[in-house]
Amino acid sequence: MPVAGVDIGSVAAKAVVFDPESRVILGSAVLPTGWNSREAGEKVLAAACADAGLSTPSCIVGTGYGRVSLPFAAKAVTEITCHALGAVHLFPRTGVVLDIGGQDSKVISTESDGSVRDFMMNDKCAAGTGRFLQVLSGILGMELTELGEAAGRGTPAAISSMCAVFAETEIIGLLAQGTPPENIAAGVFRSIARRMAALASRIPMTGECTFTGGLGISPSFGRILSAELGIPVNIPDQPQIAGALGAALVAARL
């Protein structure tokens, strides 16, 4: 029987329905988390089941910061474990997983079976996370896809502030000076990529590198991140669902 994984992040809720026998994803969904984690979990699971043409999975595992709000889950597992499992399933040669979430960024060193060897996390500052892009989106009046397109056209402006609050002030100042929005977008993308590369430098880069999280939907950011790391980066077709896939893989073992 198919199983499911539900990943409740600070910004988005994700769900995957997975077939343990064929080892393929049958359905998936991504929805805004909103203020109610439990409701978001119920809705995204229902959407993924509808996508899979399934009524109820045989087992459900929850992950993400809102995993404790999912009473229908048989087990709750950390997102570190789930992102590692999901990334290795998608790219079997993965040795390092980079994940940028809404409130934190993570670098995970993995074994060949998807288990976690080591990890580093930055959850102290919003400047290297998706939350900072939400601030930028509000200032520039662009959605994430538009930001990515703009960043791809722009020449990166220097963003020197290491704090999201000060960086916001700096961005407003750059706009006042007439700096093109695409240059600001490119500068912010480069700043986030450099923070990620600095975090990654604290863990040995063995095997292939796989990037997960919402920023993965932006080709521009993927290129900038690869350039800052100095190595190619694997990006899944659906980078946001890697954690939910990992949770489904855990469910398949129960």
Side-chain angles (χ1 to χ4, degrees), residues 109-175:
S109 175
T110 69
E111 303 286 358
S112 59
D113 63 354
S115 59
V116 176
R117 179 186 302 169
D118 195 8
F119 73 92
M120 299 293 298
M121 178 183 292
N122 170 31
D123 58 358
K124 303 300 183 185
C125 178
T129 71
R131 187 68 68 186
F132 184 37
L133 280 186
Q134 286 187 314
V135 172
L136 177 66
S137 176
I139 295 172
L140 298 183
M142 299 180 185
E143 298 296 328
L144 177 57
T145 52
E146 294 177 286
L147 285 176
E149 292 168 0
R153 299 191 305 268
T155 299
I159 307 293
S160 58
S161 300
M162 299 298 287
C163 168
V165 176
F166 294 137
E168 180 179 358
T169 302
E170 187 175 2
I171 289 167
I172 293 171
L174 288 170
L175 284 171

Side-chain angles (χ1 to χ4, degrees), residues 38-80:
R38 176 174 177 171
E39 182 177 313
E42 292 171 346
K43 287 183 176 180
V44 79
L45 177 60
C49 287
D51 187 44
L54 178 75
S55 57
T56 307
S58 62
C59 183
I60 303 166
V61 167
T63 190
Y65 96 100
R67 61 186 180 273
V68 297
S69 303
L70 305 176
F72 51 80
K75 186 175 184 179
V77 181
T78 70
E79 59 267 35
I80 301 292

